[in-house]
Amino acid sequence: MTKGFKSWGYGALSVLLVGTLTLAGCGNGNKEEAGGSSSPSPEGSSSASASASASPSASDAQPYTLKWLKAQDISLPYDPTKDVVKQAIEKKLGIQIVPEMVDVQQYKTKLNLKMSSNDIPDVARIDFADDFQKYAQQGAFVDLTDLVNEKDTPNIMKEVPPEVFEQAKVNGKIYGIPYQGGPGAGYRWNLVLRKDYMSSVGAEAPKTLDEYYELLKKIKAAKPDVIPLGGYTAQIGQTKYANNSFDNVFGAFGVTPGFFTEQDGKFSNFDIDPRMREALLFLQKMYGEGLIDKEFATIKEEQLRAKLYSGKLFSWMGWWSTANDYDTQVETNELIKSGKLAADGKLPNQAEEPFKYLTLLGSLVGKDGTAVAPMGAPFSQMNAISTKTKDPKKVLSIIEDSLSPENQMLTVWGIEGEDYNIVDGKLKTVTDLVDPQTQQDKNGNFRGTQSYLFAPGLKGWPRYLESLPLRFSQSLDVAINNKYQITDASNYLDSPTKIAKLVELNTMRDSVFTQIIMGADIKKFDDFVTKWKSQGGDQILKELEESFQKKAGK
């Protein structure tokens, strides 16, 4: 249930799952996110891109020199002149990459210095929220508004939906290509149930909130010592109430705590939506009937895990990457109970085995047959072409060419037969190709997979799910393919009051919502709505509407 992956910090899974490496580093300076390892990871005119498809082959054309600011973990050895993946990309795209190494922790500082001195890389990967918008308005990046379109840059448009480009505009213009990387943006939570408990009461996986509610009642009747629905507390004031513990219930009512909404340029927030009142009353009923853990508002994640491992929990909202470990822990405890656990007390790696004890579900739908699932912001960074580059149209054509399906396989996964293989029609990365000490293969080559790429990854890199072990692939597949995903309408908009007051408003929300779920008078919700509006909420909505109009160039 940890949200480590949500902020793109992959932790122990980083090498196995993604190990994201960047073209120009990640602006937040996160070492795992910006990636510095060179080891492979298993995780003006419309003629710009037309020239890519009509140009002579890479072997016939003169290589185009591309300045590259490369975020690198300087504690690891790396020599770009011996990087065979880099060389393969250069040959395929007809370019010569001239990388300048900078430690991942210093990338943002280094890029800002270069921006200030006009020594800008040909393409800069830069944080959208602050730096990109500032430099775009100062004229640092090429205006791509008339260059990016279905006819001339079909690969780019396939990777970045028009609505995302709209969100990425600065004063109504496109100055870069949105980037997320890895498995893409999206919802990352699953409703997780003990399928053995579900089978014991003769039930099937629920599809609607009503079916789920009836299932919880059956579990409570049949297993009085098992908690039907578990939850745990989040940090007070954070955007998501109760750490997503009740996403499926809220979602079935068409709301999700903390998210702003927009319709015809008018903004509101789900926290004050009348449907939120209905959702809270439903949760209050569930709590009163003993279907929700009485300790949900006070326990931490590790305490919820203890209940899960000991068999005292039937269902909960789980972060996608945790399901494999949870299933293994449940199996371990069941073997302990039966006296069948191996002498060393351990189970072999279960990641490639089907789930034995857990069932993972997407959103439950409400009475109208719909739901909402709160996904993160579609992108966090931009690939922007410098106005100082010698041929911006050529650089755009290189980006367009690199995003063909074939070329993305090279830039994301490396060389087929070396960095990855296709086994029974599925992509499998080679995880033992590089010596972890030297970072070189047996021939003395470095292999900077995902070090030199433009692939936006908004929808996930090509064949990404295939690259994961079975359980990780299945759980991520359920999460990211949830068809009810929505984004926060305030993403990428300016509101000083939101920055100043949102934590205070969220803290008030968390307190009031918890009280209502635990039995307080629903009138507290009406009082909350009034206070939310008067204590900064109305001003936030006004500022978001103004920013929305400005971004659209109106």
Side-chain angles (χ1 to χ4, degrees), residues 134-209:
K134 175 179 69 176
Y135 290 125
Q137 293 180 82
Q138 292 175 358
F141 305 131
V142 175
D143 181 355
L144 304 177
T145 309
D146 296 327
L147 301 179
V148 175
N149 53 69
E150 292 285 356
K151 176 184 176 182
D152 300 311
T153 56
N155 290 332
I156 292 175
M157 294 304 296
K158 184 178 180 180
E159 293 294 316
V160 184
E163 62 269 20
V164 174
F165 268 123
E166 283 297 317
Q167 291 179 302
K169 285 182 177 179
V170 177
N171 294 339
K173 296 182 180 295
I174 297 173
Y175 289 100
I177 300 168
Y179 175 89
Q180 185 65 276
Y187 193 53
R188 291 290 178 269
W189 298 82
N190 296 312
L191 176 60
V192 188
L193 307 92
R194 283 283 297 262
K195 63 181 176 183
D196 54 334
Y197 290 0
M198 192 162 54
S199 296
S200 71
V201 298
E204 297 182 351
K207 297 180 180 179
T208 70
L209 178 59

Coordinates of all heavy atoms in Angstrom, one line a residue, residues 134-209:
K134 N 8.3 29.4 -16.9 CA 9.0 30.6 -16.8 C 9.9 30.8 -18.1 O 9.9 31.9 -18.7 CB 9.9 30.6 -15.6 CG 10.9 31.7 -15.4 CD 11.7 31.6 -14.1 CE 12.7 30.5 -14.3 NZ 13.6 30.5 -13.1
Y135 N 10.7 29.8 -18.5 CA 11.6 30.0 -19.6 C 10.8 30.0 -20.9 O 11.3 30.7 -21.8 CB 12.6 28.8 -19.6 CG 13.6 28.9 -18.5 CD1 13.8 27.8 -17.6 CD2 14.4 30.0 -18.3 CE1 14.7 27.9 -16.6 CE2 15.3 30.1 -17.2 CZ 15.5 29.0 -16.4 OH 16.4 29.1 -15.4
A136 N 9.7 29.4 -21.0 CA 8.9 29.4 -22.3 C 8.5 30.9 -22.5 O 8.5 31.4 -23.6 CB 7.7 28.5 -22.2
Q137 N 8.0 31.5 -21.5 CA 7.6 32.9 -21.6 C 8.7 33.9 -21.9 O 8.5 35.0 -22.3 CB 6.8 33.3 -20.3 CG 5.5 32.6 -20.2 CD 4.7 33.0 -18.9 OE1 4.0 34.0 -18.9 NE2 4.9 32.2 -17.9
Q138 N 9.9 33.5 -21.5 CA 11.1 34.3 -21.8 C 11.7 34.1 -23.2 O 12.7 34.7 -23.6 CB 12.2 34.0 -20.8 CG 11.8 34.5 -19.3 CD 12.9 34.1 -18.3 OE1 13.9 33.4 -18.6 NE2 12.6 34.5 -17.1
G139 N 11.1 33.2 -24.0 CA 11.5 32.9 -25.3 C 12.6 31.9 -25.5 O 13.3 31.9 -26.5
A140 N 12.8 31.1 -24.5 CA 13.9 30.1 -24.6 C 13.7 28.9 -25.5 O 14.6 28.3 -25.9 CB 14.3 29.6 -23.1
F141 N 12.4 28.6 -25.7 CA 12.0 27.4 -26.4 C 11.3 27.7 -27.7 O 10.5 28.7 -27.8 CB 11.1 26.5 -25.5 CG 11.8 26.2 -24.2 CD1 11.1 26.3 -23.0 CD2 13.1 25.7 -24.1 CE1 11.6 26.0 -21.8 CE2 13.7 25.4 -22.9 CZ 12.9 25.6 -21.7
V142 N 11.4 26.9 -28.7 CA 10.8 27.0 -30.0 C 9.3 26.8 -29.9 O 8.8 25.9 -29.2 CB 11.4 26.0 -31.0 CG1 10.6 26.1 -32.3 CG2 12.9 26.2 -31.2
D143 N 8.5 27.7 -30.5 CA 7.1 27.6 -30.6 C 6.7 26.5 -31.5 O 7.0 26.6 -32.7 CB 6.5 29.0 -31.0 CG 5.0 29.0 -31.1 OD1 4.4 27.9 -30.9 OD2 4.4 30.0 -31.3
L144 N 6.1 25.4 -31.0 CA 5.8 24.3 -31.8 C 4.3 24.2 -32.3 O 3.9 23.3 -32.9 CB 6.1 23.0 -31.1 CG 7.6 22.8 -30.6 CD1 7.7 21.5 -29.8 CD2 8.5 22.8 -31.7
T145 N 3.6 25.3 -32.0 CA 2.1 25.3 -32.2 C 1.8 24.9 -33.6 O 0.8 24.1 -33.8 CB 1.6 26.7 -31.8 OG1 2.0 27.1 -30.5 CG2 0.0 26.6 -31.8
D146 N 2.4 25.4 -34.6 CA 2.1 25.1 -36.0 C 2.9 24.0 -36.6 O 2.7 23.6 -37.7 CB 2.3 26.4 -36.8 CG 1.4 27.5 -36.4 OD1 0.3 27.3 -36.0 OD2 1.9 28.7 -36.5
L147 N 3.8 23.4 -35.8 CA 4.6 22.3 -36.3 C 4.1 20.9 -35.8 O 4.5 19.9 -36.5 CB 6.1 22.5 -35.8 CG 6.7 23.8 -36.2 CD1 8.1 23.9 -35.6 CD2 6.8 24.0 -37.7
V148 N 3.4 20.9 -34.7 CA 3.0 19.6 -34.2 C 1.5 19.4 -34.6 O 0.6 20.1 -34.1 CB 3.1 19.6 -32.6 CG1 2.5 18.3 -32.1 CG2 4.6 19.7 -32.2
N149 N 1.3 18.4 -35.5 CA -0.1 18.1 -35.9 C -0.2 16.7 -36.5 O 0.9 16.0 -36.7 CB -0.5 19.1 -37.0 CG 0.5 19.2 -38.1 OD1 0.7 18.3 -38.9 ND2 1.2 20.4 -38.2
E150 N -1.4 16.2 -36.7 CA -1.6 14.8 -37.2 C -0.9 14.5 -38.5 O -0.4 13.4 -38.7 CB -3.1 14.6 -37.3 CG -3.9 14.6 -36.0 CD -3.6 13.3 -35.2 OE1 -2.9 12.4 -35.7 OE2 -4.1 13.2 -34.1
K151 N -0.8 15.5 -39.4 CA -0.2 15.3 -40.7 C 1.3 15.2 -40.7 O 1.9 14.3 -41.2 CB -0.6 16.4 -41.7 CG 0.0 16.3 -43.0 CD -0.4 17.5 -43.9 CE 0.4 17.4 -45.3 NZ 0.0 18.6 -46.1
D152 N 1.9 16.1 -40.0 CA 3.4 16.3 -40.0 C 4.1 15.5 -38.9 O 5.3 15.2 -39.1 CB 3.8 17.7 -40.0 CG 3.2 18.5 -41.2 OD1 3.3 18.0 -42.3 OD2 2.6 19.6 -40.9
T153 N 3.5 15.4 -37.8 CA 4.1 14.7 -36.7 C 3.2 13.6 -36.1 O 2.8 13.6 -34.9 CB 4.5 15.6 -35.5 OG1 3.4 16.4 -35.1 CG2 5.6 16.6 -36.0
P154 N 2.8 12.6 -36.9 CA 1.8 11.6 -36.5 C 2.3 10.8 -35.3 O 1.5 10.4 -34.4 CB 1.7 10.7 -37.7 CG 2.9 10.9 -38.5 CD 3.3 12.3 -38.3
N155 N 3.6 10.5 -35.2 CA 4.2 9.7 -34.1 C 4.0 10.5 -32.8 O 3.7 9.9 -31.7 CB 5.6 9.4 -34.3 CG 5.8 8.3 -35.4 OD1 4.9 7.5 -35.7 ND2 7.0 8.4 -36.1
I156 N 4.3 11.8 -32.8 CA 4.2 12.6 -31.6 C 2.7 12.6 -31.2 O 2.4 12.5 -30.0 CB 4.8 14.0 -31.8 CG1 6.3 13.9 -32.0 CG2 4.4 14.9 -30.7 CD1 6.9 15.3 -32.4
M157 N 1.8 12.9 -32.1 CA 0.4 13.0 -31.8 C -0.2 11.7 -31.3 O -1.1 11.6 -30.5 CB -0.4 13.5 -33.0 CG 0.0 14.9 -33.5 SD -0.2 16.1 -32.2 CE -2.0 16.0 -31.9
K158 N 0.4 10.5 -31.7 CA 0.0 9.2 -31.3 C 0.4 9.1 -29.8 O -0.3 8.4 -29.0 CB 0.6 8.1 -32.1 CG 0.1 6.7 -31.7 CD 0.7 5.7 -32.7 CE 0.2 4.3 -32.3 NZ 0.8 3.2 -33.1
E159 N 1.5 9.6 -29.4 CA 2.0 9.5 -28.1 C 1.4 10.5 -27.1 O 1.3 10.2 -25.9 CB 3.5 9.6 -28.1 CG 4.3 8.5 -28.8 CD 4.1 7.2 -28.1 OE1 4.2 7.1 -26.8 OE2 3.9 6.2 -28.8
V160 N 1.0 11.7 -27.6 CA 0.5 12.7 -26.7 C -0.9 13.2 -27.2 O -1.0 13.8 -28.3 CB 1.5 14.0 -26.7 CG1 0.9 15.0 -25.7 CG2 2.9 13.5 -26.3
P161 N -1.9 12.9 -26.5 CA -3.3 13.2 -26.9 C -3.4 14.8 -27.0 O -2.8 15.5 -26.3 CB -4.2 12.7 -25.8 CG -3.4 11.6 -25.2 CD -1.9 12.1 -25.3
P162 N -4.3 15.2 -27.9 CA -4.6 16.7 -28.0 C -4.9 17.4 -26.7 O -4.5 18.5 -26.5 CB -5.7 16.7 -29.1 CG -5.6 15.5 -29.8 CD -5.1 14.5 -28.9
E163 N -5.7 16.7 -25.9 CA -6.1 17.3 -24.6 C -4.9 17.5 -23.7 O -4.9 18.4 -22.9 CB -7.2 16.5 -23.9 CG -6.8 15.1 -23.5 CD -7.1 14.0 -24.6 OE1 -7.3 14.4 -25.8 OE2 -7.2 12.9 -24.3
V164 N -3.9 16.7 -23.8 CA -2.7 16.8 -23.0 C -1.9 18.0 -23.5 O -1.4 18.8 -22.7 CB -1.9 15.5 -22.9 CG1 -0.6 15.8 -22.2 CG2 -2.7 14.4 -22.3
F165 N -1.8 18.1 -24.8 CA -1.1 19.3 -25.4 C -1.8 20.6 -24.9 O -1.2 21.6 -24.7 CB -1.1 19.2 -26.9 CG 0.2 18.6 -27.4 CD1 0.1 17.5 -28.3 CD2 1.4 19.1 -27.1 CE1 1.2 16.9 -28.8 CE2 2.6 18.5 -27.6 CZ 2.5 17.4 -28.5
E166 N -3.1 20.5 -24.8 CA -3.9 21.7 -24.4 C -3.5 22.1 -22.9 O -3.3 23.3 -22.6 CB -5.4 21.5 -24.4 CG -6.0 21.5 -25.8 CD -5.9 22.9 -26.4 OE1 -6.1 23.9 -25.7 OE2 -5.6 23.0 -27.6
Q167 N -3.3 21.1 -22.1 CA -2.9 21.4 -20.7 C -1.5 21.9 -20.6 O -1.1 22.6 -19.7 CB -3.0 20.1 -19.9 CG -4.5 19.7 -19.6 CD -4.6 18.4 -18.8 OE1 -4.0 17.3 -19.2 NE2 -5.2 18.4 -17.7
A168 N -0.7 21.5 -21.6 CA 0.8 21.9 -21.6 C 1.0 23.2 -22.2 O 2.2 23.7 -22.2 CB 1.6 20.8 -22.4
K169 N 0.0 23.9 -22.7 CA 0.2 25.2 -23.4 C 0.6 26.3 -22.4 O 0.2 26.2 -21.2 CB -1.0 25.6 -24.1 CG -1.3 24.9 -25.4 CD -2.5 25.4 -26.2 CE -2.7 24.7 -27.5 NZ -3.9 25.2 -28.2
V170 N 1.4 27.2 -22.9 CA 1.7 28.4 -22.1 C 1.2 29.6 -22.9 O 1.7 29.8 -24.1 CB 3.3 28.5 -21.9 CG1 3.6 29.8 -21.2 CG2 3.7 27.3 -21.1
N171 N 0.3 30.3 -22.3 CA -0.3 31.4 -23.1 C -0.9 31.0 -24.4 O -0.7 31.7 -25.4 CB 0.7 32.6 -23.2 CG 1.1 33.2 -21.9 OD1 0.3 33.1 -20.9 ND2 2.2 33.9 -21.8
G172 N -1.5 29.8 -24.5 CA -2.1 29.4 -25.7 C -1.2 28.8 -26.7 O -1.7 28.4 -27.8
K173 N 0.1 28.6 -26.4 CA 1.0 28.1 -27.4 C 1.7 26.8 -26.9 O 1.9 26.6 -25.7 CB 2.1 29.1 -27.8 CG 1.5 30.4 -28.5 CD 2.5 31.3 -28.9 CE 1.9 32.6 -29.6 NZ 1.3 32.2 -30.8
I174 N 2.2 26.0 -27.8 CA 2.9 24.7 -27.5 C 4.4 25.0 -27.6 O 4.9 25.4 -28.6 CB 2.5 23.6 -28.4 CG1 1.0 23.3 -28.3 CG2 3.3 22.3 -28.2 CD1 0.5 22.3 -29.3
Y175 N 5.1 24.8 -26.5 CA 6.5 25.0 -26.5 C 7.3 23.8 -26.1 O 8.5 23.8 -26.0 CB 6.9 26.1 -25.4 CG 6.5 27.5 -25.8 CD1 5.3 28.0 -25.3 CD2 7.2 28.2 -26.7 CE1 4.9 29.3 -25.6 CE2 6.8 29.5 -27.1 CZ 5.7 30.1 -26.5 OH 5.3 31.3 -26.9
G176 N 6.7 22.6 -26.1 CA 7.4 21.4 -25.8 C 6.5 20.2 -25.8 O 5.3 20.3 -26.0
I177 N 7.1 19.0 -25.7 CA 6.3 17.8 -25.7 C 6.3 17.2 -24.3 O 7.3 16.9 -23.7 CB 7.1 16.8 -26.7 CG1 7.1 17.4 -28.1 CG2 6.3 15.4 -26.7 CD1 8.1 16.7 -29.0
P178 N 5.1 17.0 -23.8 CA 4.9 16.5 -22.4 C 5.6 15.1 -22.3 O 5.6 14.3 -23.2 CB 3.4 16.4 -22.3 CG 2.8 17.4 -23.2 CD 3.8 17.3 -24.4
Y179 N 6.2 14.9 -21.1 CA 6.9 13.7 -20.8 C 6.5 13.1 -19.4 O 6.4 13.9 -18.5 CB 8.4 13.9 -20.8 CG 9.2 12.7 -20.4 CD1 9.7 11.8 -21.3 CD2 9.6 12.5 -19.1 CE1 10.4 10.7 -21.0 CE2 10.4 11.4 -18.7 CZ 10.8 10.5 -19.6 OH 11.5 9.4 -19.3
Q180 N 6.3 11.8 -19.3 CA 6.1 11.2 -18.0 C 7.0 10.0 -17.8 O 7.7 9.9 -16.8 CB 4.6 10.7 -17.9 CG 4.2 10.1 -16.6 CD 4.3 11.1 -15.5 OE1 5.3 11.4 -14.9 NE2 3.1 11.7 -15.2
G181 N 7.1 9.1 -18.8 CA 8.1 8.1 -18.7 C 7.5 6.8 -18.0 O 6.5 6.9 -17.3
G182 N 8.3 5.7 -18.1 CA 7.9 4.5 -17.3 C 6.5 4.0 -17.8 O 6.2 3.9 -19.0
P183 N 5.7 3.6 -16.8 CA 4.4 3.0 -17.2 C 3.4 4.1 -17.5 O 2.2 3.7 -17.7 CB 4.0 2.3 -15.9 CG 4.7 3.0 -14.8 CD 6.0 3.5 -15.4
G184 N 3.8 5.3 -17.6 CA 2.8 6.4 -17.9 C 2.1 6.9 -16.8 O 2.2 6.5 -15.6
A185 N 1.3 7.9 -17.0 CA 0.4 8.5 -16.0 C -0.8 7.7 -15.8 O -1.2 7.0 -16.8 CB 0.0 9.9 -16.4
G186 N -1.4 7.7 -14.7 CA -2.7 7.0 -14.5 C -2.9 6.6 -13.1 O -2.1 6.9 -12.2
Y187 N -4.1 6.0 -12.9 CA -4.5 5.5 -11.6 C -3.6 4.3 -11.2 O -3.1 3.6 -12.1 CB -5.9 5.0 -11.7 CG -6.6 4.8 -10.3 CD1 -6.6 5.7 -9.3 CD2 -7.2 3.6 -10.1 CE1 -7.2 5.5 -8.1 CE2 -7.9 3.3 -8.9 CZ -7.9 4.3 -7.9 OH -8.5 4.1 -6.7
R188 N -3.3 4.2 -9.9 CA -2.3 3.1 -9.5 C -2.9 2.2 -8.4 O -2.1 1.5 -7.8 CB -1.0 3.8 -9.1 CG -0.2 4.5 -10.2 CD 0.4 3.4 -11.1 NE 1.1 4.1 -12.2 CZ 0.5 4.4 -13.4 NH1 -0.7 4.1 -13.6 NH2 1.2 4.9 -14.3
W189 N -4.1 2.3 -8.1 CA -4.7 1.6 -7.0 C -5.6 0.5 -7.5 O -6.3 0.6 -8.5 CB -5.5 2.5 -6.1 CG -4.6 3.6 -5.4 CD1 -4.3 4.7 -6.0 CD2 -4.1 3.5 -4.1 NE1 -3.5 5.5 -5.1 CE2 -3.3 4.7 -3.9 CE3 -4.1 2.6 -3.1 CZ2 -2.7 5.0 -2.8 CZ3 -3.4 2.9 -1.9 CH2 -2.7 4.1 -1.8
N190 N -5.7 -0.6 -6.7 CA -6.6 -1.7 -7.0 C -7.4 -2.0 -5.7 O -6.9 -1.8 -4.6 CB -5.9 -3.0 -7.4 CG -5.1 -2.9 -8.7 OD1 -5.6 -2.4 -9.7 ND2 -3.8 -3.3 -8.6
L191 N -8.7 -2.4 -5.9 CA -9.4 -3.0 -4.8 C -9.0 -4.4 -4.7 O -9.1 -5.2 -5.7 CB -10.9 -2.9 -5.1 CG -11.8 -3.6 -4.0 CD1 -11.6 -2.9 -2.7 CD2 -13.3 -3.5 -4.4
V192 N -8.4 -4.8 -3.5 CA -7.9 -6.1 -3.3 C -8.7 -6.9 -2.4 O -9.1 -6.4 -1.3 CB -6.4 -6.0 -2.8 CG1 -5.8 -7.4 -2.8 CG2 -5.6 -5.0 -3.6
L193 N -9.1 -8.2 -2.7 CA -9.9 -9.0 -1.9 C -9.2 -10.4 -1.7 O -8.5 -10.9 -2.6 CB -11.3 -9.2 -2.5 CG -12.1 -8.0 -2.9 CD1 -11.8 -7.6 -4.4 CD2 -13.6 -8.3 -2.8
R194 N -9.5 -11.0 -0.6 CA -9.0 -12.4 -0.3 C -10.0 -13.3 -1.1 O -11.2 -13.5 -0.7 CB -9.1 -12.7 1.2 CG -7.9 -12.2 2.0 CD -6.6 -13.0 1.8 NE -6.8 -14.3 2.2 CZ -6.3 -14.8 3.4 NH1 -5.8 -13.9 4.3 NH2 -6.5 -16.1 3.7
K195 N -9.5 -13.9 -2.2 CA -10.4 -14.7 -3.0 C -10.8 -16.0 -2.3 O -11.9 -16.5 -2.6 CB -9.8 -15.0 -4.4 CG -8.5 -15.8 -4.4 CD -8.1 -15.9 -5.9 CE -6.7 -16.6 -6.0 NZ -6.3 -16.7 -7.4
D196 N -10.0 -16.5 -1.4 CA -10.3 -17.7 -0.7 C -11.5 -17.4 0.3 O -12.4 -18.3 0.4 CB -9.2 -18.3 0.1 CG -8.5 -17.3 1.0 OD1 -8.5 -16.1 0.7 OD2 -7.9 -17.8 2.0
Y197 N -11.5 -16.2 0.9 CA -12.6 -15.9 1.7 C -13.9 -15.7 0.9 O -15.0 -16.0 1.3 CB -12.3 -14.6 2.5 CG -11.3 -14.7 3.6 CD1 -10.7 -15.9 3.8 CD2 -11.0 -13.6 4.3 CE1 -9.7 -16.0 4.8 CE2 -10.0 -13.7 5.4 CZ -9.4 -14.9 5.6 OH -8.4 -15.0 6.6
M198 N -13.7 -15.1 -0.3 CA -14.9 -14.8 -1.2 C -15.5 -16.2 -1.6 O -16.7 -16.3 -1.6 CB -14.4 -14.0 -2.4 CG -15.5 -13.4 -3.2 SD -14.9 -12.1 -4.3 CE -13.5 -12.9 -5.1
S199 N -14.6 -17.1 -2.0 CA -15.1 -18.4 -2.4 C -15.8 -19.1 -1.3 O -16.8 -19.9 -1.5 CB -14.0 -19.3 -2.9 OG -13.3 -18.7 -4.0
S200 N -15.4 -18.9 0.0 CA -16.0 -19.6 1.1 C -17.4 -19.2 1.4 O -18.2 -20.0 2.0 CB -15.1 -19.4 2.4 OG -15.3 -18.0 2.8
V201 N -17.8 -18.0 0.9 CA -19.2 -17.6 1.0 C -20.0 -17.7 -0.3 O -21.1 -17.2 -0.4 CB -19.3 -16.2 1.6 CG1 -18.7 -16.1 2.9 CG2 -18.6 -15.2 0.6
G202 N -19.4 -18.4 -1.3 CA -20.0 -18.7 -2.5 C -20.2 -17.5 -3.4 O -21.2 -17.4 -4.2
A203 N -19.3 -16.5 -3.3 CA -19.5 -15.2 -4.0 C -18.5 -15.1 -5.1 O -17.4 -15.7 -5.1 CB -19.4 -14.1 -3.1
E204 N -18.8 -14.3 -6.1 CA -17.9 -13.9 -7.2 C -17.5 -12.5 -7.0 O -18.0 -11.7 -6.2 CB -18.6 -14.1 -8.6 CG -19.0 -15.6 -8.8 CD -19.7 -15.7 -10.2 OE1 -19.9 -14.7 -10.9 OE2 -19.9 -16.9 -10.6
A205 N -16.5 -12.1 -7.8 CA -15.9 -10.8 -7.7 C -17.0 -9.7 -8.0 O -17.7 -9.8 -9.1 CB -14.7 -10.6 -8.6
P206 N -17.2 -8.7 -7.1 CA -18.3 -7.8 -7.4 C -17.9 -6.8 -8.5 O -16.7 -6.5 -8.7 CB -18.4 -7.0 -6.0 CG -17.0 -7.2 -5.5 CD -16.5 -8.5 -5.9
K207 N -18.9 -6.3 -9.2 CA -18.7 -5.3 -10.2 C -19.3 -3.9 -9.8 O -18.9 -2.9 -10.3 CB -19.3 -5.7 -11.5 CG -18.6 -7.0 -12.1 CD -19.2 -7.4 -13.4 CE -18.6 -8.7 -14.0 NZ -19.2 -9.1 -15.3
T208 N -20.3 -4.0 -9.0 CA -21.0 -2.7 -8.6 C -20.8 -2.5 -7.1 O -20.4 -3.4 -6.3 CB -22.5 -2.8 -8.9 OG1 -23.1 -3.8 -8.0 CG2 -22.7 -3.2 -10.3
L209 N -21.0 -1.3 -6.6 CA -20.9 -1.0 -5.2 C -21.9 -1.8 -4.4 O -21.6 -2.2 -3.3 CB -21.1 0.5 -5.0 CG -21.1 1.0 -3.5 CD1 -19.7 0.7 -2.9 CD2 -21.3 2.5 -3.5

